[in-house]
Amino acid sequence: MTVTTPPARAVKAGAHLSRKKRLFWPFAAPALVLYLAFLVLPTIATVVLSFTSWAGAGDTPEPNGVTNYTQMWASDSFQYAFRNTLIYVFLGGIGTFALAFLFTMVLRDMKGGKIVRAILFFPNIVAPVALGMFLGFVFKYQPGKQGLANYVLESLGADAAKFLAPSNVTGVVTASLIWASSGFYITILMAAVDRIPPYLYEDAELGGASPWQKFKNITLPMTWDVVGVAGVLWTINALKIFELVFVLAGPGTYAPPNEAWTLGIYVFDRTFGSNGTPDFGAACACAVAMIVLVSVLVVLLRRLMRRDAIQF
């Protein structure tokens, strides 16, 4: 009977794998503890509080069933907030990605494209509050002290427009989001385009392909996975929009008019109490609705964007 011993290389590999397993928990445990403490537990607490009536510190939460949810869905302010948030997600997303793809096609063959890319990225460096203040001066409507946008309109012979009126502010914010956010997604898409082999475009050029055909048959399929990730990022960020709307539509004293609300402003209003008494239960109910909405949209988007990876 012969006894076979494993090769020395296999023994070393097994010992190395064993050491890696022993090191896993010491490195992973701190991150898991932080994740549990600052994400999982607060989320569970938010769900529990959404079924209570609670005015904040000093009071005891009183269970009230689904009252917060029924009142929320029946509220005009929530309906405005829900509608405006979906407008930012879908219309803002379509405009942002259309502009990002357009610039991606142009900058790919443009000399100095990296400099232009850096300039387009600049609005993402500015804090949303500062950006909102700047855009407030641009779209200001005040007789004798018009903003830049109305100054241009009047120079062209048109009447000044009340861009920041409650009924118009959602469109202004959507356009501002597209302008301010496109540079970020241009940077992401250009990083994906830069890894595409140049010979594919050269072959398409020799075959007489138009810019649209090259984008449709080369650029888009080769960057599809990155587009999916960028879409998820946009969805999450658009659902959380708060500062830009608050600064542009706000009267300078408190929350903006209901017609300009987003879900984030609804949570803010219920948390700090527009009527003088905070309602943390209603705020938590809206926060839960935001969690559910972003989860549904992200899952649908990932399923829609699912496609076999292309190797090159």
Side-chain angles (χ1 to χ4, degrees), residues 293-309:
L293 181 59
V294 72
S295 301
V296 170
L297 290 178
V298 168
V299 170
L300 291 176
L301 183 62
R302 295 302 295 170
R303 288 185 176 275
L304 180 64
M305 302 293 292
R306 182 180 296 172
R307 184 177 294 186
D308 293 337

Side-chain angles (χ1 to χ4, degrees), residues 39-282:
L39 183 64
V40 176
L41 293 181
T43 301
I44 296 174
T46 299
V47 174
V48 173
L49 289 174
S50 69
F51 296 100
T52 66
S53 176
W54 187 39
D59 295 326
T60 302
E62 298 179 0
N64 64 354
V66 296
T67 302
N68 291 327
Y69 290 95
T70 55
Q71 292 179 349
M72 179 182 69
W73 284 107
S75 169
D76 290 338
S77 56
F78 178 81
Q79 293 177 14
Y80 281 124
F82 190 78
R83 181 203 66 182
N84 292 336
T85 301
L86 291 183
I87 288 174
Y88 296 140
V89 171
F90 291 103
L91 292 185
I94 292 172
T96 298
F97 280 91
L99 193 62
F101 278 125
L102 177 62
F103 273 96
T104 299
M105 294 172 63
V106 173
L107 294 177
R108 189 181 62 82
D109 298 321
M110 178 181 175
K111 292 183 178 180
K114 292 184 178 180
I115 298 176
V116 177
R117 191 190 315 179
I119 295 173
L120 293 173
F121 186 80
F122 178 76
N124 293 274
I125 303 174
V126 182
V129 173
L131 189 63
M133 294 177 65
F134 165 73
L135 293 172
F137 286 113
V138 171
F139 294 110
K140 182 172 64 173
Y141 176 86
Q142 185 177 351
K145 296 181 180 179
Q146 303 287 22
L148 178 61
N150 277 321
Y151 176 79
V152 173
L153 288 177
E154 291 179 341
S155 300
L156 297 175
D159 295 331
K162 296 182 179 180
F163 290 104
L164 300 182
S167 57
N168 299 330
V169 72
T170 299
V172 172
V173 173
T174 302
S176 302
L177 279 175
I178 294 172
W179 168 75
S181 303
S182 58
F184 176 76
Y185 296 96
I186 289 170
T187 304
I188 293 178
L189 295 178
M190 284 300 299
V193 170
D194 288 344
R195 68 179 187 175
I196 299 176
Y199 67 81
L200 295 176
Y201 291 104
E202 295 171 359
D203 292 344
E205 190 75 27
L206 293 175
S210 64
W212 167 249
Q213 289 173 327
K214 287 188 284 187
F215 170 78
K216 178 182 177 182
N217 298 300
I218 300 176
T219 304
L220 189 58
M222 292 292 186
T223 59
W224 191 254
D225 54 338
V226 178
V227 173
V229 174
V232 171
L233 291 176
W234 168 263
T235 301
I236 295 173
N237 291 329
L239 281 170
K240 297 188 300 180
I241 182 173
F242 174 81
E243 299 97 330
L244 190 60
V245 179
F246 194 88
V247 174
L248 280 177
T253 55
Y254 191 66
N258 287 358
E259 292 180 59
W261 277 21
T262 63
L263 293 178
I265 294 177
Y266 185 95
V267 173
F268 169 83
D269 176 81
R270 294 300 184 265
T271 301
F272 294 99
S274 58
N275 297 321
T277 303
D279 190 349
F280 283 85

Side-chain angles (χ1 to χ4, degrees), residues 9-29:
R9 182 178 298 179
V11 174
K12 290 182 179 179
H16 179 67
L17 182 60
S18 178
R19 287 195 299 269
K20 289 178 63 177
K21 289 181 177 179
R22 287 197 301 269
L23 290 174
F24 174 79
W25 285 112
F27 281 99

